[in-house]
Amino acid sequence: NILLHGGGEEGGKSKLTSTLLMVVVFATLTGLLMGYDLCVIAVILEPVKKDFRLCGTAFTCFDKEMVVSLIAPGAVVGSFAGGCMTDKLGRRISIALSDVFIMLGCFLMAAAPVESLFTLLLGRIFIGVGVGIGFAVVAPYISEVSPTDRRGQLVLGIEISQCCGCLLAYGIATVISPTHGQWRSLMAAAGFVALVQGGGV
């Protein structure tokens, strides 16, 4: 496609067009969301523990462990589902659906009443499902739209954006030091990024 791959070369390699770069940037937001959601939990865990009265005076307990770890089984389910979805629905629709799960998960966590740990945990699972779908779909999608001699460079953007997402979570925490209630805005922020990606793809 001339819009994606351009008509010329740069230093012997295919030209990177603005359209292609925009497609890759929107696709790699999945990596940003993954890195952010993995690392933001370390930032918000203590205020979540206090708000939901987890563990009592103990440092850790089963409920607290579930808040951290439930993203993983969700991602496993999402990865398997993502492979089937992308064959039946196509890459872009699958990415948009992954964003729907991430948005639902983030907003469930942000709005979870303190008496409902279940809502918080359900949100964490939804985020995992969304990230799992996204990671199963995004790398093949970027590879397919990229010229063959640029695929390695462009697919690498997923890993770079994942690291940036993690740094972003820690950076925001350094600035605002989330306490009771403030952690909810950190979760909602990821939902809005997912909304941007869903609209962009």
mmCIF file of all heavy atoms in Angstrom, residues 31-66:
data_model
loop_
_atom_site.group_PDB
_atom_site.id
_atom_site.type_symbol
_atom_site.label_atom_id
_atom_site.label_comp_id
_atom_site.label_asym_id
_atom_site.label_seq_id
_atom_site.Cartn_x
_atom_site.Cartn_y
_atom_site.Cartn_z
ATOM 1 N N GLY A 31 1.001 -1.692 24.216
ATOM 2 C CA GLY A 31 2.174 -1.881 25.058
ATOM 3 C C GLY A 31 2.232 -0.872 26.186
ATOM 4 O O GLY A 31 2.583 -1.208 27.322
ATOM 5 N N LEU A 32 1.883 0.381 25.879
ATOM 6 C CA LEU A 32 1.855 1.421 26.904
ATOM 7 C C LEU A 32 0.871 1.060 28.013
ATOM 8 O O LEU A 32 1.183 1.182 29.208
ATOM 9 C CB LEU A 32 1.469 2.763 26.274
ATOM 10 C CG LEU A 32 1.528 3.985 27.192
ATOM 11 C CD1 LEU A 32 2.966 4.461 27.346
ATOM 12 C CD2 LEU A 32 0.661 5.114 26.653
ATOM 13 N N LEU A 33 -0.309 0.595 27.615
ATOM 14 C CA LEU A 33 -1.332 0.210 28.594
ATOM 15 C C LEU A 33 -0.884 -0.986 29.425
ATOM 16 O O LEU A 33 -1.116 -1.046 30.635
ATOM 17 C CB LEU A 33 -2.648 -0.104 27.884
ATOM 18 C CG LEU A 33 -3.392 1.105 27.314
ATOM 19 C CD1 LEU A 33 -4.458 0.654 26.325
ATOM 20 C CD2 LEU A 33 -4.018 1.923 28.432
ATOM 21 N N MET A 34 -0.230 -1.949 28.762
ATOM 22 C CA MET A 34 0.263 -3.121 29.474
ATOM 23 C C MET A 34 1.287 -2.721 30.526
ATOM 24 O O MET A 34 1.194 -3.120 31.698
ATOM 25 C CB MET A 34 0.892 -4.099 28.471
ATOM 26 C CG MET A 34 1.576 -5.299 29.111
ATOM 27 S SD MET A 34 0.434 -6.388 29.968
ATOM 28 C CE MET A 34 1.415 -7.878 30.103
ATOM 29 N N GLY A 35 2.276 -1.920 30.136
ATOM 30 C CA GLY A 35 3.300 -1.490 31.079
ATOM 31 C C GLY A 35 2.724 -0.669 32.219
ATOM 32 O O GLY A 35 3.083 -0.851 33.387
ATOM 33 N N TYR A 36 1.792 0.211 31.871
ATOM 34 C CA TYR A 36 1.171 1.061 32.892
ATOM 35 C C TYR A 36 0.388 0.219 33.896
ATOM 36 O O TYR A 36 0.531 0.381 35.113
ATOM 37 C CB TYR A 36 0.257 2.075 32.210
ATOM 38 C CG TYR A 36 -0.394 3.062 33.151
ATOM 39 C CD1 TYR A 36 0.247 4.247 33.475
ATOM 40 C CD2 TYR A 36 -1.645 2.810 33.706
ATOM 41 C CE1 TYR A 36 -0.346 5.167 34.340
ATOM 42 C CE2 TYR A 36 -2.245 3.711 34.566
ATOM 43 C CZ TYR A 36 -1.594 4.889 34.876
ATOM 44 O OH TYR A 36 -2.178 5.786 35.740
ATOM 45 N N ASP A 37 -0.446 -0.691 33.387
ATOM 46 C CA ASP A 37 -1.291 -1.487 34.279
ATOM 47 C C ASP A 37 -0.480 -2.469 35.127
ATOM 48 O O ASP A 37 -0.868 -2.789 36.246
ATOM 49 C CB ASP A 37 -2.355 -2.244 33.476
ATOM 50 C CG ASP A 37 -3.469 -1.328 32.992
ATOM 51 O OD1 ASP A 37 -3.897 -0.469 33.769
ATOM 52 O OD2 ASP A 37 -3.900 -1.461 31.835
ATOM 53 N N LEU A 38 0.639 -2.949 34.592
ATOM 54 C CA LEU A 38 1.493 -3.837 35.378
ATOM 55 C C LEU A 38 2.169 -3.098 36.532
ATOM 56 O O LEU A 38 2.313 -3.642 37.629
ATOM 57 C CB LEU A 38 2.573 -4.469 34.484
ATOM 58 C CG LEU A 38 2.161 -5.674 33.644
ATOM 59 C CD1 LEU A 38 3.313 -6.105 32.749
ATOM 60 C CD2 LEU A 38 1.730 -6.836 34.533
ATOM 61 N N CYS A 39 2.587 -1.872 36.273
ATOM 62 C CA CYS A 39 3.376 -1.138 37.265
ATOM 63 C C CYS A 39 2.537 -0.249 38.179
ATOM 64 O O CYS A 39 2.931 0.013 39.314
ATOM 65 C CB CYS A 39 4.440 -0.296 36.564
ATOM 66 S SG CYS A 39 5.684 -1.296 35.720
ATOM 67 N N VAL A 40 1.394 0.220 37.708
ATOM 68 C CA VAL A 40 0.595 1.125 38.536
ATOM 69 C C VAL A 40 0.062 0.409 39.777
ATOM 70 O O VAL A 40 -0.179 1.041 40.801
ATOM 71 C CB VAL A 40 -0.566 1.738 37.717
ATOM 72 C CG1 VAL A 40 -1.721 0.749 37.537
ATOM 73 C CG2 VAL A 40 -1.057 3.025 38.357
ATOM 74 N N ILE A 41 -0.078 -0.910 39.700
ATOM 75 C CA ILE A 41 -0.590 -1.646 40.855
ATOM 76 C C ILE A 41 0.359 -1.541 42.038
ATOM 77 O O ILE A 41 -0.062 -1.504 43.197
ATOM 78 C CB ILE A 41 -0.871 -3.129 40.486
ATOM 79 C CG1 ILE A 41 -1.758 -3.785 41.545
ATOM 80 C CG2 ILE A 41 0.422 -3.896 40.275
ATOM 81 C CD1 ILE A 41 -3.143 -3.211 41.628
ATOM 82 N N ALA A 42 1.657 -1.464 41.755
ATOM 83 C CA ALA A 42 2.629 -1.288 42.837
ATOM 84 C C ALA A 42 2.473 0.080 43.491
ATOM 85 O O ALA A 42 2.721 0.248 44.685
ATOM 86 C CB ALA A 42 4.049 -1.456 42.296
ATOM 87 N N VAL A 43 2.032 1.048 42.693
ATOM 88 C CA VAL A 43 1.853 2.419 43.171
ATOM 89 C C VAL A 43 0.598 2.555 44.027
ATOM 90 O O VAL A 43 0.602 3.229 45.059
ATOM 91 C CB VAL A 43 1.784 3.381 41.965
ATOM 92 C CG1 VAL A 43 1.378 4.769 42.406
ATOM 93 C CG2 VAL A 43 3.110 3.400 41.215
ATOM 94 N N ILE A 44 -0.479 1.897 43.597
ATOM 95 C CA ILE A 44 -1.772 2.100 44.257
ATOM 96 C C ILE A 44 -2.084 1.050 45.318
ATOM 97 O O ILE A 44 -3.089 1.161 46.016
ATOM 98 C CB ILE A 44 -2.923 2.132 43.223
ATOM 99 C CG1 ILE A 44 -3.133 0.739 42.605
ATOM 100 C CG2 ILE A 44 -2.660 3.179 42.156
ATOM 101 C CD1 ILE A 44 -4.366 0.632 41.730
ATOM 102 N N LEU A 45 -1.252 0.029 45.436
ATOM 103 C CA LEU A 45 -1.599 -1.106 46.295
ATOM 104 C C LEU A 45 -1.795 -0.699 47.755
ATOM 105 O O LEU A 45 -2.731 -1.172 48.413
ATOM 106 C CB LEU A 45 -0.531 -2.187 46.190
ATOM 107 C CG LEU A 45 -0.886 -3.534 46.812
ATOM 108 C CD1 LEU A 45 -2.182 -4.084 46.223
ATOM 109 C CD2 LEU A 45 0.248 -4.530 46.601
ATOM 110 N N GLU A 46 -0.946 0.166 48.261
ATOM 111 C CA GLU A 46 -1.066 0.538 49.667
ATOM 112 C C GLU A 46 -2.345 1.328 49.948
ATOM 113 O O GLU A 46 -3.076 1.003 50.890
ATOM 114 C CB GLU A 46 0.162 1.339 50.118
ATOM 115 C CG GLU A 46 0.291 1.514 51.619
ATOM 116 C CD GLU A 46 0.315 0.189 52.376
ATOM 117 O OE1 GLU A 46 0.796 -0.819 51.824
ATOM 118 O OE2 GLU A 46 -0.175 0.169 53.523
ATOM 119 N N PRO A 47 -2.673 2.364 49.146
ATOM 120 C CA PRO A 47 -3.958 3.036 49.380
ATOM 121 C C PRO A 47 -5.160 2.135 49.133
ATOM 122 O O PRO A 47 -6.188 2.256 49.813
ATOM 123 C CB PRO A 47 -3.944 4.221 48.411
ATOM 124 C CG PRO A 47 -2.851 3.963 47.444
ATOM 125 C CD PRO A 47 -1.861 3.110 48.161
ATOM 126 N N VAL A 48 -5.069 1.207 48.183
ATOM 127 C CA VAL A 48 -6.153 0.243 47.968
ATOM 128 C C VAL A 48 -6.315 -0.629 49.203
ATOM 129 O O VAL A 48 -7.439 -0.895 49.656
ATOM 130 C CB VAL A 48 -5.870 -0.625 46.718
ATOM 131 C CG1 VAL A 48 -6.781 -1.853 46.687
ATOM 132 C CG2 VAL A 48 -6.063 0.187 45.445
ATOM 133 N N LYS A 49 -5.207 -1.076 49.745
ATOM 134 C CA LYS A 49 -5.247 -1.901 50.953
ATOM 135 C C LYS A 49 -5.950 -1.171 52.096
ATOM 136 O O LYS A 49 -6.767 -1.753 52.819
ATOM 137 C CB LYS A 49 -3.814 -2.274 51.362
ATOM 138 C CG LYS A 49 -3.720 -3.081 52.640
ATOM 139 C CD LYS A 49 -2.264 -3.315 53.035
ATOM 140 C CE LYS A 49 -2.177 -3.961 54.411
ATOM 141 N NZ LYS A 49 -0.768 -4.140 54.858
ATOM 142 N N LYS A 50 -5.669 0.114 52.238
ATOM 143 C CA LYS A 50 -6.285 0.888 53.313
ATOM 144 C C LYS A 50 -7.768 1.135 53.041
ATOM 145 O O LYS A 50 -8.605 0.988 53.931
ATOM 146 C CB LYS A 50 -5.551 2.217 53.489
ATOM 147 C CG LYS A 50 -4.144 2.061 54.043
ATOM 148 C CD LYS A 50 -3.436 3.406 54.138
ATOM 149 C CE LYS A 50 -2.029 3.239 54.700
ATOM 150 N NZ LYS A 50 -1.285 4.524 54.727
ATOM 151 N N ASP A 51 -8.091 1.512 51.813
ATOM 152 C CA ASP A 51 -9.483 1.809 51.480
ATOM 153 C C ASP A 51 -10.382 0.586 51.620
ATOM 154 O O ASP A 51 -11.523 0.678 52.082
ATOM 155 C CB ASP A 51 -9.590 2.359 50.055
ATOM 156 C CG ASP A 51 -9.203 3.826 49.965
ATOM 157 O OD1 ASP A 51 -8.803 4.392 50.993
ATOM 158 O OD2 ASP A 51 -9.297 4.397 48.861
ATOM 159 N N PHE A 52 -9.884 -0.576 51.189
ATOM 160 C CA PHE A 52 -10.693 -1.793 51.212
ATOM 161 C C PHE A 52 -10.452 -2.619 52.481
ATOM 162 O O PHE A 52 -10.971 -3.718 52.596
ATOM 163 C CB PHE A 52 -10.405 -2.636 49.962
ATOM 164 C CG PHE A 52 -11.022 -2.088 48.717
ATOM 165 C CD1 PHE A 52 -10.416 -1.048 48.016
ATOM 166 C CD2 PHE A 52 -12.231 -2.580 48.234
ATOM 167 C CE1 PHE A 52 -10.986 -0.529 46.863
ATOM 168 C CE2 PHE A 52 -12.807 -2.063 47.086
ATOM 169 C CZ PHE A 52 -12.191 -1.028 46.402
ATOM 170 N N ARG A 53 -9.641 -2.084 53.382
ATOM 171 C CA ARG A 53 -9.349 -2.732 54.670
ATOM 172 C C ARG A 53 -8.893 -4.179 54.481
ATOM 173 O O ARG A 53 -9.424 -5.121 55.086
ATOM 174 C CB ARG A 53 -10.577 -2.682 55.584
ATOM 175 C CG ARG A 53 -10.998 -1.264 55.953
ATOM 176 C CD ARG A 53 -12.221 -1.262 56.858
ATOM 177 N NE ARG A 53 -12.560 0.092 57.282
ATOM 178 C CZ ARG A 53 -13.309 0.932 56.588
ATOM 179 N NH1 ARG A 53 -13.803 0.553 55.421
ATOM 180 N NH2 ARG A 53 -13.576 2.144 57.038
ATOM 181 N N LEU A 54 -7.893 -4.339 53.628
ATOM 182 C CA LEU A 54 -7.351 -5.660 53.353
ATOM 183 C C LEU A 54 -6.278 -6.029 54.373
ATOM 184 O O LEU A 54 -5.494 -5.169 54.788
ATOM 185 C CB LEU A 54 -6.745 -5.716 51.944
ATOM 186 C CG LEU A 54 -7.642 -5.286 50.771
ATOM 187 C CD1 LEU A 54 -6.874 -5.388 49.463
ATOM 188 C CD2 LEU A 54 -8.898 -6.142 50.717
ATOM 189 N N CYS A 55 -6.230 -7.255 54.769
ATOM 190 C CA CYS A 55 -5.134 -7.845 55.552
ATOM 191 C C CYS A 55 -5.082 -7.432 57.019
ATOM 192 O O CYS A 55 -4.241 -7.947 57.757
ATOM 193 C CB CYS A 55 -3.766 -7.534 54.910
ATOM 194 S SG CYS A 55 -3.652 -8.023 53.184
ATOM 195 N N GLY A 56 -5.885 -6.481 57.442
ATOM 196 C CA GLY A 56 -5.799 -6.038 58.834
ATOM 197 C C GLY A 56 -4.447 -5.416 59.122
ATOM 198 O O GLY A 56 -4.001 -4.521 58.417
ATOM 199 N N THR A 57 -3.764 -5.927 60.128
ATOM 200 C CA THR A 57 -2.425 -5.398 60.463
ATOM 201 C C THR A 57 -1.314 -6.164 59.756
ATOM 202 O O THR A 57 -0.153 -5.782 59.844
ATOM 203 C CB THR A 57 -2.192 -5.471 61.986
ATOM 204 O OG1 THR A 57 -2.341 -6.829 62.418
ATOM 205 C CG2 THR A 57 -3.193 -4.588 62.727
ATOM 206 N N ALA A 58 -1.663 -7.244 59.057
ATOM 207 C CA ALA A 58 -0.641 -8.032 58.356
ATOM 208 C C ALA A 58 -0.164 -7.300 57.106
ATOM 209 O O ALA A 58 -0.889 -6.497 56.505
ATOM 210 C CB ALA A 58 -1.211 -9.396 57.968
ATOM 211 N N PHE A 59 1.081 -7.583 56.722
ATOM 212 C CA PHE A 59 1.641 -6.930 55.535
ATOM 213 C C PHE A 59 0.980 -7.438 54.262
ATOM 214 O O PHE A 59 0.735 -6.688 53.330
ATOM 215 C CB PHE A 59 3.149 -7.167 55.468
ATOM 216 C CG PHE A 59 3.780 -6.634 54.218
ATOM 217 C CD1 PHE A 59 3.949 -5.270 54.032
ATOM 218 C CD2 PHE A 59 4.198 -7.494 53.201
ATOM 219 C CE1 PHE A 59 4.523 -4.768 52.870
ATOM 220 C CE2 PHE A 59 4.755 -7.005 52.037
ATOM 221 C CZ PHE A 59 4.932 -5.640 51.877
ATOM 222 N N THR A 60 0.689 -8.718 54.206
ATOM 223 C CA THR A 60 0.087 -9.287 53.010
ATOM 224 C C THR A 60 -0.952 -10.333 53.398
ATOM 225 O O THR A 60 -0.991 -10.816 54.525
ATOM 226 C CB THR A 60 1.148 -9.923 52.091
ATOM 227 O OG1 THR A 60 0.557 -10.260 50.833
ATOM 228 C CG2 THR A 60 1.741 -11.179 52.723
ATOM 229 N N CYS A 61 -1.825 -10.664 52.454
ATOM 230 C CA CYS A 61 -2.865 -11.667 52.675
ATOM 231 C C CYS A 61 -3.393 -12.100 51.306
ATOM 232 O O CYS A 61 -3.008 -11.545 50.272
ATOM 233 C CB CYS A 61 -3.991 -11.109 53.540
ATOM 234 S SG CYS A 61 -4.840 -9.699 52.800
ATOM 235 N N PHE A 62 -4.280 -13.054 51.306
ATOM 236 C CA PHE A 62 -4.794 -13.617 50.055
ATOM 237 C C PHE A 62 -5.482 -12.557 49.198
ATOM 238 O O PHE A 62 -5.273 -12.493 47.979
ATOM 239 C CB PHE A 62 -5.764 -14.755 50.363
ATOM 240 C CG PHE A 62 -6.334 -15.404 49.128
ATOM 241 C CD1 PHE A 62 -5.581 -16.279 48.368
ATOM 242 C CD2 PHE A 62 -7.642 -15.127 48.723
ATOM 243 C CE1 PHE A 62 -6.112 -16.878 47.232
ATOM 244 C CE2 PHE A 62 -8.179 -15.710 47.589
ATOM 245 C CZ PHE A 62 -7.409 -16.596 46.846
ATOM 246 N N ASP A 63 -6.315 -11.711 49.797
ATOM 247 C CA ASP A 63 -7.050 -10.697 49.032
ATOM 248 C C ASP A 63 -6.098 -9.735 48.340
ATOM 249 O O ASP A 63 -6.291 -9.373 47.170
ATOM 250 C CB ASP A 63 -7.991 -9.914 49.956
ATOM 251 C CG ASP A 63 -9.188 -10.747 50.410
ATOM 252 O OD1 ASP A 63 -9.450 -11.780 49.770
ATOM 253 O OD2 ASP A 63 -9.833 -10.368 51.397
ATOM 254 N N LYS A 64 -5.073 -9.317 49.049
ATOM 255 C CA LYS A 64 -4.091 -8.399 48.464
ATOM 256 C C LYS A 64 -3.340 -9.075 47.321
ATOM 257 O O LYS A 64 -3.081 -8.449 46.282
ATOM 258 C CB LYS A 64 -3.118 -7.949 49.550
ATOM 259 C CG LYS A 64 -2.094 -6.921 49.110
ATOM 260 C CD LYS A 64 -1.216 -6.512 50.292
ATOM 261 C CE LYS A 64 -0.101 -5.570 49.862
ATOM 262 N NZ LYS A 64 0.786 -5.221 50.995
ATOM 263 N N GLU A 65 -3.019 -10.334 47.503
ATOM 264 C CA GLU A 65 -2.331 -11.077 46.444
ATOM 265 C C GLU A 65 -3.208 -11.192 45.200
ATOM 266 O O GLU A 65 -2.716 -11.121 44.068
ATOM 267 C CB GLU A 65 -1.937 -12.461 46.953
ATOM 268 C CG GLU A 65 -0.837 -12.422 48.014
ATOM 269 C CD GLU A 65 -0.696 -13.736 48.757
ATOM 270 O OE1 GLU A 65 -1.461 -14.688 48.446
ATOM 271 O OE2 GLU A 65 0.171 -13.826 49.641
ATOM 272 N N MET A 66 -4.510 -11.352 45.399
ATOM 273 C CA MET A 66 -5.429 -11.448 44.269
ATOM 274 C C MET A 66 -5.493 -10.134 43.488
ATOM 275 O O MET A 66 -5.568 -10.132 42.264
ATOM 276 C CB MET A 66 -6.832 -11.829 44.750
ATOM 277 C CG MET A 66 -6.990 -13.265 45.194
ATOM 278 S SD MET A 66 -6.712 -14.466 43.849
ATOM 279 C CE MET A 66 -4.998 -14.925 44.173
#
